[in-house]
Amino acid sequence: MDHTSHMMAGSTSGAAGCVGSGLECANAATPFLLPNGELLLSWTANGVVSVARSHDLGKTFTPAVKIAEHGKSLDTGADARPQIAADHQGNVFLAYAFFKDSHWNAQINTVRSTDGGNTFSTPSSLVQDSSSQRFPSVLIRPDHSIFIAWIDKRLVAAAKQGGAKRLGGSIAYSFSNDGGNTFQPEQFANENSCECCRIGASLDRQRQPVIAYRAIFPGGIRDQATQVISAKGAQAIRRVSDDGWKTDACPHHGPSIAVSESGTFHVAWYTQGSKRSGVFYANSNNQGLSYSKPVRIGAEGANVSRPYLLALGQQVWMVWKEFDGNDSSVYLKQSSDDGKTWLAPKMIAKTSGYSDHPLLVSQQDTVFLSWLTRADGYQLHQVGQKQ
């Protein structure tokens, strides 16, 4: 396994010359919009995980609360951003990962706040297991239960102890019904996944989690898959497309998924397969049983990355980054008919120097772009409205 992307992520995302744990030094920021319009923002900077609240959509923030300090062992890879969610009662839940050793074995910690994010519990390990767990992905459901999925390497560790070699990792998940204080025993959705890409997650019409991730298929092919996590457990693994990416490395470039009101799964992903290379989009109107023909995102030959999707009703928004050698730009395109047709893409933000992934969040019927850049700081821009 080529882990050079770990080092690349650390070196490129580091705030050169920026000292401290403030938002101005952050390399990744994750938003959560509360129903009252307040913004909770979690970020990582110089080995510290912090949280602050904004009453004016990111223009100003309350003093940051330091969640944890891990220094160089904090997992700050391109897809390893802190996860944050909150319920209507002011309970805030946070998950992040740090490395336990020099072999990229990580631990996921969780913390909770019961006073709206003013104070937090002491970080504690999500699972009691000595192997590696990374890349948590968190959803909060309307009943306030929390779903968390992550990449788990206990099966790889067990195989190694038995003298066998096992590729990749596994997709594990759990639920909490008490605001993240305790979690149900972890289960595996797929025992064969790529080991170092974030997991995309969304809720379907039944408020069941639907996850998208890079699975390992027979022959060592690492293509995208989706799964519904129902009350009965993980449902069948559904392949999004046959890209034919055979590799023992990993790009730290996970997919994005959004489920519209009709139940259509919308998925965007990055691949360097033998049959398809670049960033692509496809959708499924039968819970992933089959997907539409993949459509390229951005111009062929352009340096396209980090697609992100959001759906409200049957409207779908998608953003992504393009790098022209000097500047990074965020492009947006929108569909009003559940992904059947799309308006022409338009550039909505641009920066030079380091920038985080573009993310989409909504508050009631309004859609926002969340983007952190070194030159311009944190930005939350309204980019859409549900009709």
Side-chain angles (χ1 to χ4, degrees), residues 160-177:
K160 186 176 181 180
Q161 286 185 342
K165 184 177 181 181
R166 186 185 181 108
L167 293 174
S170 307
I171 302 296
Y173 69 92
S174 183
F175 290 91
S176 172
N177 293 314

Side-chain angles (χ1 to χ4, degrees), residues 190 192-194 213-217 220-225 237:
N190 186 344
N192 298 286
S193 76
C194 198
Y213 56 90
R214 195 183 307 279
I216 299 180
F217 292 97
I221 301 297
R222 300 191 182 206
D223 285 346
Q224 302 295 329
I237 300 163

